[in-house]
Amino acid sequence: MNLDFWLPVLVLSSSLFTGIVIFFLKEESTRLRTALNLLGASIKVVAVHYMAYRLLVLDIIHEISFSMGLGFDFIIRVDFLSLMFVSLSSNLWLVTTLYAVGYLEESPNRSRFFGFFSLCVTASTGIAMAGNLITFFMFYEFLTLTTYPLVVHRETRQALDAGRTYLWYTILGGAILFVGIVSLQVLAGPVDFVDSGFMQSLGHEHHLTLKIIFALLIIGLGVKAALVPLHGWLPVAMIAPAPVSALLHAVAVVKAGAFGIVRVVFDVFERDFAGSLGLLGPLTGIAAITIIYGSIRALTQTDLKKRLAYSTVSQVSYITIGAALIAPFSTVGAIVHLVHQGVMKITMFFCAGNIAETLGLHNIRELKGVARRMPLTAIMFTLAAFGMIGVPPMAGFISKWYLGLGGLDSNNAWVLGVLVLSSILNAAYFLPVIHTMWFEKPDREWKTIRSSRLEAPWMLLTPPAITALAALLAGLFANWEWSPLGVARQIAVGMGVYP
């Protein structure tokens, strides 16, 4: 066993063992719990970055595999595509951990929260590094089980109801996904992720079955990816604490679904073959409907977190539509939006959490003049919102540019129209929030719930400052070789879909 084996083990175990140990800590062991959280997150970041260096520079693919019996293999393989997702998970876990420590200060059940928080990230990194569908499924369901306690953490009636809804959706989605995986295993044998897919060798007599299996896989993954009409759990789950909402929307659950769809399209069916079966047109259409529907529903929300939730429903489908278009630019757009949407949306949830924790404000109508009381938070929220709208030079502009080029390149110019309409709707539901924060006069005395020397505790200000800056720099220096866009290009080249 060498580094090819031990580095993926270290990435998984850095959060797995941290979470297990934290479960046994007493509530008052704040310093030890914080130290363990930050140590585990830091080790994971270092290990992932070293794996990235070995893959991108030395062309070394890390792999672990063994048979589980019944014809199933457990495979961990860090290829180009998994590198992007595991990097996103590890880096955002570190900043979210810092935020969560500050957010949950003096709250009850912190050891339980951070235990499941760490297990959740273990599941997310396992999904990223899974080398076949069965390993992906194991971590996918582990993610469901570890995020449920986070959704119901406050133990209120509303939280328990939201948790029940979340479980119904995700377990039913998981069951459908499992039927699709087993059907594929029976039809085609082991379902490893390979760049060229492995369905092309099956004869025409199997094409109808393949179409049905593709539909089962997309439905199962579409629940977590919040594709319409499978998205109902996501706005309801907003009852969770802000760090959990940030994790669900930027790193873990919705990204797991979107990443799974990318895997199925590229590494199971192979995109050109899926296109020849007529599977990508309907997928593109569903993603387009989700993009517009999510934006329209966001317009009508007065609760800030729910508006952000419907925005996620819309924005995550950019990844799906990029994967479904047969064009090199759209592939790059889909891959880079995994990162861009993550840093922008996590910033907005951090900011929403800051306002709620400091001033007790949740409704958009209550935010009049809040920028005078919390200018740093308002600046960071504004930057992220501009990114979501697609204002240059923010990261979101880069994603939309590449997806638009992909639409034109694949002779689907209507996709460009969807992106333009989506951007107009993004502006329609984000600019009023920004205007309310910056330009309307406060109509009440600020009631400070949680005081500090700054506008909010430094642990609540530093994470959104980092991610907002990342969203700006990712767009400003997009052409740099090691920017998210530069790495996405390298990954697309490695996948053989970008010249």
Side-chain angles (χ1 to χ4, degrees):
M1 296 179 185
N2 50 26
L3 276 177
D4 301 355
F5 174 88
W6 285 112
L7 273 176
V9 171
L10 183 60
V11 170
L12 289 172
S13 60
S14 56
S15 50
L16 177 64
F17 289 121
T18 299
I20 292 172
V21 172
I22 287 176
F23 277 126
F24 294 98
L25 295 182
K26 296 178 180 177
E27 281 301 301
E28 57 268 26
S29 303
T30 304
R31 289 186 178 180
L32 179 57
R33 185 171 49 243
T34 301
L36 283 172
N37 271 315
L38 294 178
L39 178 64
S42 301
I43 290 173
K44 189 185 289 288
V45 168
V46 172
V48 167
H49 280 248
Y50 190 48
M51 278 199 314
Y53 166 76
R54 286 166 59 87
L55 177 61
L56 294 174
V57 178
L58 305 180
D59 203 24
I60 296 173
I61 292 180
H62 303 78
E63 184 169 334
I64 303 168
S65 66
F66 58 85
S67 173
M68 297 186 292
L70 301 175
F72 294 120
D73 294 328
F74 180 89
I75 301 177
I76 292 292
R77 182 186 299 122
V78 184
D79 60 14
F80 291 101
L81 194 54
S82 56
L83 178 63
M84 190 62 114
F85 192 25
V86 77
S87 299
L88 175 73
S89 297
S90 58
N91 285 301
L92 291 190
W93 182 44
L94 179 57
V95 293
T96 308
T97 298
L98 183 63
Y99 185 86
V101 169
Y103 187 91
L104 294 171
E105 197 175 50
E106 308 300 330
S107 298
N109 302 316
R110 280 168 292 165
S111 290
R112 185 186 70 186
F113 177 91
F114 282 106
F116 282 112
F117 193 72
S118 295
L119 295 185
C120 171
V121 177
T122 304
S124 179
T125 50
I127 287 169
M129 299 191 297
N132 61 6
L133 267 179
I134 194 65
T135 309
F136 178 94
F137 178 76
M138 291 166 59
F139 284 110
Y140 195 76
E141 291 306 289
F142 186 46
L143 181 65
T144 297
L145 299 176
T146 53
T147 45
Y148 170 76
L150 299 177
V151 173
V152 302
H153 177 71
R154 289 187 168 131
E155 299 181 2
T156 62
R157 171 51 56 193
Q158 199 177 0
L160 293 173
D161 288 345
R164 193 177 303 112
T165 301
Y166 174 69
L167 271 188
W168 272 112
Y169 269 89
T170 51
I171 287 178
L172 285 175
I176 294 170
L177 177 63
F178 185 67
V179 171
I181 292 172
V182 172
S183 301
L184 199 57
Q185 175 97 3
V186 171
L187 181 68
V191 281
D192 295 0
F193 296 141
V194 292
D195 287 341
S196 57
F198 53 89
M199 296 298 142
Q200 304 91 324
S201 59
L202 297 176
H204 288 279
E205 67 274 18
H206 297 299
H207 284 187
L208 176 59
T209 306
L210 284 176
K211 291 177 183 178
I212 295 171
I213 290 173
F214 184 85
L216 291 172
L217 297 176
I218 295 300
I219 291 171
L221 295 165
V223 171
K224 280 195 170 78
L227 287 175
V228 171
L230 309 170
H231 66 287
W233 64 271
L234 188 56
V236 176
M238 285 306 90
I239 193 66
V244 178
S245 300
L247 206 63
L248 292 180
H249 286 253
V251 185
V253 181
V254 295
K255 285 295 170 58
F259 181 73
I261 291 173
V262 173
R263 279 293 197 197
V264 167
V265 170
F266 284 96
D267 297 337
V268 176
F269 276 75
E270 200 277 323
R271 190 170 57 178
D272 289 342
F273 181 65
S276 72
L277 292 179
L279 298 171
L280 299 185
L283 183 59
T284 308
I286 292 169
I289 290 170
T290 304
I291 288 171
I292 301 304
Y293 174 85
S295 293
I296 292 173
R297 289 301 307 273
L299 276 172
T300 63
Q301 306 303 315
T302 55
D303 181 274
L304 181 56
K305 283 182 70 178
K306 278 202 171 180
R307 184 167 292 196
L308 297 182
Y310 277 106
S311 167
T312 298
V313 171
S314 172
Q315 291 272 341
V316 168
S317 279
Y318 284 28
I319 298 166
T320 302
I321 209 168
L325 293 171
I326 302 178
F329 289 118
S330 67
T331 304
V332 173
I335 295 171
V336 79
H337 199 59
L338 273 169
V339 176
H340 287 171
Q341 188 272 345
V343 294
M344 294 184 295
K345 187 48 67 72
I346 206 168
T347 303
M348 303 182 89
F349 273 107
F350 285 157
C351 294
N354 286 0
I355 295 169
E357 275 296 287
T358 306
L359 303 176
L361 304 180
H362 304 273
N363 195 294
I364 294 166
R365 297 192 186 99
E366 299 171 334
L367 303 183
K368 293 177 180 176
V370 81
R372 304 179 189 189
R373 170 64 177 80
M374 304 184 69
L376 293 175
T377 299
I379 289 171
M380 295 180 288
F381 185 92
T382 302
L383 280 174
F386 282 169
M388 285 292 181
I389 294 168
V391 175
M394 299 301 296
F397 170 74
I398 303 299
S399 298
K400 293 185 180 185
W401 180 266
Y402 269 77
L403 291 171
L405 287 178
L408 295 175
D409 199 30
S410 62
N411 296 318
N412 288 289
W414 63 272
V415 170
L416 184 60
V418 169
L419 294 172
V420 171
L421 178 57
S422 171
S423 293
I424 293 171
L425 291 170
N426 296 159
Y429 64 74
F430 278 135
L431 291 182
V433 181
I434 295 169
H435 182 271
T436 302
M437 284 181 170
W438 286 100
F439 299 110
E440 294 196 22
K441 291 182 180 177
D443 57 0
R444 69 186 69 196
E445 289 290 325
W446 301 120
K447 183 180 176 183
T448 301
I449 295 176
R450 188 170 173 181
S451 60
S452 64
R453 287 190 298 173
L454 302 171
E455 63 185 55
W458 72 269
M459 280 189 171
L460 300 187
L461 287 174
T462 304
I466 293 171
T467 51
L469 185 63
L472 173 61
L473 296 180
L476 204 57
F477 298 101
N479 211 32
W480 182 42
E481 182 182 5
W482 298 108
S483 70
L485 177 64
V487 174
R489 285 177 184 150
Q490 294 181 55
I491 289 171
V493 170
M495 292 166 64
V497 295
Y498 192 78

